[in-house]
C-alpha cells in the first residue's frame, strides 16, 4: 500500500519534471535564434490584438468594479477612525502592489491563456503543426514565439489599465458617492505612493506573472494529447496551474519586495 | 543524379515497447509514383513521418536525394524539407486562413516574391486542382474532397521534388476519389515529381502506381509493379489485394478456444 503510494508519487514527480523539461526546450526553441523582424512583426501585432486588445473589456470592467468595492469597504473602516482622507492611498496601494498584477494575471489566464491552449492543442490535433514542420516552417518560431512575446508585452499593460481604472472606480465611489474630499483623495495618494517601491514593483510582478501564465498556456497546448478529451484537460490545467503558480509566486515576490 | 530519390535501408522503428518496423528496406525511384500499401495500423503514416524527419528511426538509414535524413542537423533538415512536401490525411489546412492564403503560405515563408507574382502562382496552383473559384473560401466552408485538393495545391506551391500522400482517398466519395486519383498521376507527370502514396485503397492505388510495396508484419511482404503483385503467390499478398476477411491475416483477434470460453463460467 505504502510502496504503491510512493511509486505513484515518484512517477508523478518524474512526469512533472519531464513536462517542465519539455516546456523549457519548447521555450528555448521558440526564443533563441536570430529574430526575423520582416516576418515576425506582423505576427506579433496580430497576437497583440488577439491576446491584448480582446482582453481589454474584461480587464476594464473588472478593474472598475474592484476599485469601487475597495473604496466602499475601505471607507466603512476608515471612517470609524476619521481617516477617510486616506482612502486614496488605500485604493491605490492595494491595486498597484497586489490586486492589479494578481487579478489581471488570473483573468488573463482564464481569458487568453485558455484560448491559447485550446488553439494550439487544436492545431496539433488537426496536424497543422506537423504540416508546418513539413513545409520547413518551424512552428516554435512561427506559432509559439509571437504569442509568447505578445503575452509578455500585453499583460503588464493590461495590469496598468486595470489599476488605473480601479483608482478611478475608487474615486467614483469614495468622492462622488460617499463624499470624501476629492483633493485629499488625490493628494494623499500622491504623498503615499512611491514610484519605485509601489509602481515599479507592481510592474515587475506583472511581468513575472505574464511569463508564468503565457509559458504554461503555450506549453499545455503544445504538449496536449491531440484528442478532444486531451485538449479539454489541457485547457483546464492551464487555468488551474497558471492561477495557483501566480498566487504562489505572488507570495514569494511580496515577501521579497515588501517583507522587510 | 541517382535514379533513386528515397532509399530506406534496414529501417527499424519502435514506439515504446511496440516494434513498428523491423529491418525494412525499400527504394523510391525518381519521377515515379510509388505506392505503399498495407492493412490499417501497421504504421504507414509513421513511415512518411520518418522520411520527413519528424520521427527518428531506432536503426537504419533513410536517404533522401543522397542525404541521410535522421543524421541531418536541424538546419539541414529544414533545407531538405523545402524539396519535399506532404499531403496529410486531414489536409491540415490552416483554419484561420482562406484557401488562397493557405496556398500562398509556403511561398510567402520561403521566398521574397512580390504579392502580384504570388497571386499568379497561387492561381495557377489552384487552377491545376480545379479550385481557382474557391480561393476566398475558408477551410471550414470546403467539403472533404475540396479541402484535400486545396491542401494538394499548397503541397505543390513550391514545386517540390518529392510529394508524399497520406491516405489521399480515405473518406472520399467516388467522384472526389476519381479527381484525386487523376490529379496525383497528372501532377506527377506534368511537374516531374516523385510521389509516394500511402493507402489501403487497392483499386485506386494499383491504377496509378508505377511500383508498389506491400507492408505488413513490420516488413515488406511483397513488392513489384501492380501487374507483378497481382501474380504474386504469397497468401498474405493475395488476401490483401482481394480483400478477403480471413486468411493469412486472421479475422479473429487472438483469443482462447471459442468452445472453452462458452462452456466456462463467467470469469
Amino acid at each position: 500500500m505504502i510502496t504503491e503510494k510512493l511509486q505513484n508519487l515518484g512517477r508523478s514527480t518524474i512526469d512533472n519534471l519531464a513536462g517542465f523539461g519539455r516546456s523549457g526546450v519548447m521555450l528555448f526553441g521558440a526564443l533563441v535564434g536570430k529574430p526575423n523582424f520582416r516576418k515576425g512583426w506582423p505576427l506579433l501585432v496580430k497576437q497583440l490584438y488577439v491576446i491584448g486588445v480582446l482582453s481589454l473589456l474584461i480587464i476594464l470592467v473588472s478593474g472598475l468594479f474592484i476599485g469601487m468595492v475597495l473604496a466602499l469597504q475601505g471607507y466603512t473602516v476608515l471612517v470609524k477612525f476619521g481617516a477617510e482622507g486616506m482612502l486614496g492611498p488605500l485604493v491605490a496601494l492595494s491595486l498597484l502592489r497586489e490586486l492589479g498584477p494578481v487579478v489581471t494575471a488570473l483573468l488573463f489566464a482564464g481569458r487568453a491563456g485558455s484560448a491559447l491552449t485550446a488553439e494550439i492543442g487544436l492545431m496539433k490535433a488537426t496536424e497543422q503543426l506537423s504540416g508546418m514542420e513539413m513545409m520547413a516552417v518551424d512552428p516554435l518560431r512561427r506559432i509559439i514565439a509571437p504569442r509568447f512575446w505578445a503575452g509578455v508585452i500585453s499583460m503588464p499593460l493590461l495590469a496598468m489599465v486595470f489599476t488605473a481604472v480601479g483608482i478611478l472606480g475608487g474615486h467614483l465611489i469614495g468622492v462622488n458617492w460617499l463624499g470624501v474630499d476629492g483633493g485629499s483623495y488625490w493628494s494623499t495618494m500622491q504623498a503615499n505612493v512611491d514610484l519605485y517601491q509601489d509602481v515599479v514593483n507592481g510592474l515587475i510582478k506583472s511581468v513575472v506573472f505574464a511569463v508564468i501564465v503565457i509559458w504554461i498556456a503555450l506549453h499545455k497546448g503544445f504538449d496536449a494529447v491531440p484528442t478532444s478529451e486531451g485538449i479539454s484537460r489541457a485547457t483546464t490545467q492551464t487555468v488551474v496551474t497558471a492561477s495557483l503558480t501566480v498566487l504562489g509566486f505572488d507570495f514569494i515576490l511580496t515577501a521579497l519586495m515588501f517583507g522587510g | 543524379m541517382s535514379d533513386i530519390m528515397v532509399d530506406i535501408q534496414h529501417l527499424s522503428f519502435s514506439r515504446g515497447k511496440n516494434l513498428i518496423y523491423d529491418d525494412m528496406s525499400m527504394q523510391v525511384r525518381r519521377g515515379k509514383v510509388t505506392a505503399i500499401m498495407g492493412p490499417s495500423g501497421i504504421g504507414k503514416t509513421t513511415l512518411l513521418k520518418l522520411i520527413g524527419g519528424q520521427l527518428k528511426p531506432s536503426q537504419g538509414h533513410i536517404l533522401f536525394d543522397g542525404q541521410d535524413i535522421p543524421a541531418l542537423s536541424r538546419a539541414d533538415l529544414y533545407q531538405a524539407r523545402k524539396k519535399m512536401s506532404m499531403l496529410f490525411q486531414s489536409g491540415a489546412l490552416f483554419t484561420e486562413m482562406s484557401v488562397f492564403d493557405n496556398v500562398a503560405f509556403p511561398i510567402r515563408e520561403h521566398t521574397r516574391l512580390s504579392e502580384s507574382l504570388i497571386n499568379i502562382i497561387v492561381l495557377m496552383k489552384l487552377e491545376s486542382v480545379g479550385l481557382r473559384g474557391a480561393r476566398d473560401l475558408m477551410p471550414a466552408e470546403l467539403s472533404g474532397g475540396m479541402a484535400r485538393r486545396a491542401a494538394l495545391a499548397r503541397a505543390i506551391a513550391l514545386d517540390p521534388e518529392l510529394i508524399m500522400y497520406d491516405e489521399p482517398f480515405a473518406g472520399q466519395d467516388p467522384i472526389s476519389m476519381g479527381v484525386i486519383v487523376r490529379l496525383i498521376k497528372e501532377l506527377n507527370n506534368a511537374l516531374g515529381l516523385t510521389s509516394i502514396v500511402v493507402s489501403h485503397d487497392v483499386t485506386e492505388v494499383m491504377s496509378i502506381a508505377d511500383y508498389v510495396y506491400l507492408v505488413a508484419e513490420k516488413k515488406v511482404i511483397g513488392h513489384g509493379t501492380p501487374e507483378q503483385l497481382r501474380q504474386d503467390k504469397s497468401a498474405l499478398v493475395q488476401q490483401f489485394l482481394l480483400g478477403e476477411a480471413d486468411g493469412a491475416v486472421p479475422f479473429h483477434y487472438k483469443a482462447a478456444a471459442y468452445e472453452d470460453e462458452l462452456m466456462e463460467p463467467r470469469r
Side-chain angles (χ1 to χ4, degrees), chain B residues 10 162 178:
Chain B
H10 308 290
L162 170 72

Side-chain angles (χ1 to χ4, degrees), chain A residues 171-188:
Chain A
H171 184 273
L172 194 71
I173 293 297
V175 177
N176 298 0
W177 187 26
L178 299 170
V180 173
D181 180 58
S184 84
Y185 183 85
W186 293 117
S187 63
T188 50

Side-chain angles (χ1 to χ4, degrees), chain B residues 1-189:
Chain B
M1 196 164 57
S2 163
D3 187 33
I4 307 295
M5 173 69 99
V6 179
D7 193 359
I8 297 173
Q9 301 169 349
H10 308 290
L11 171 76
S12 294
F13 178 75
S14 306
R15 192 166 267 152
K17 288 176 183 166
N18 192 11
L19 184 65
I20 311 277
Y21 294 120
D22 185 16
D23 196 26
M24 186 176 79
S25 297
M26 63 171 67
Q27 293 179 325
V28 175
R29 293 196 176 277
R30 206 177 285 274
K32 303 286 182 195
V33 177
T34 302
I36 298 168
M37 292 200 293
S40 299
I42 53 119
K44 299 191 291 295
T45 305
T46 304
L47 184 61
L48 295 187
K49 289 193 169 176
L50 282 161
I51 297 171
Q54 289 188 305
L55 297 172
K56 280 195 186 295
S58 338
Q59 273 181 6
H61 301 282
I62 300 166
L63 301 176
F64 167 69
D65 219 5
Q67 291 179 297
D68 191 9
I69 291 287
L72 290 181
S73 67
R74 192 175 167 77
D76 289 339
L77 178 62
Y78 272 77
Q79 281 305 316
R81 279 184 186 154
K82 288 181 185 173
K83 293 193 278 182
M84 57 172 90
S85 195
M86 183 157 163
L87 181 72
F88 286 85
Q89 192 173 350
S90 59
L93 291 171
F94 302 128
T95 43
E96 85 282 16
M97 293 182 194
S98 67
V99 168
F100 182 96
D101 288 333
N102 261 288
V103 180
F105 179 82
I107 310 173
R108 286 180 179 142
E109 283 293 320
H110 295 304
T111 69
R112 287 188 166 226
L113 297 177
S114 66
E115 276 302 309
S116 58
L117 205 51
I118 290 175
N119 186 53
I120 293 170
I121 297 172
V122 172
L123 290 183
M124 282 164 63
K125 301 297 175 188
L126 284 173
E127 174 72 14
S128 66
V129 297
L131 288 183
R132 191 164 46 83
R135 81 189 90 163
D136 295 325
L137 296 182
M138 297 302 282
E141 298 172 286
L142 302 177
S143 69
M146 284 166 81
R148 219 161 284 183
R149 279 151 66 191
L152 182 53
R154 187 178 66 180
I156 56 169
L158 281 177
D159 296 328
E161 293 175 27
L162 170 72
I163 180 160
M164 297 182 276
Y165 299 88
D166 184 11
E167 298 284 4
F169 316 114
Q172 299 294 311
D173 64 71
I175 298 174
S176 303
M177 201 184 263
V179 170
I180 292 171
V181 166
R182 206 193 72 201
L183 277 174
I184 292 175
K185 191 70 186 172
E186 282 182 4
L187 288 174
N188 194 77
N189 296 340

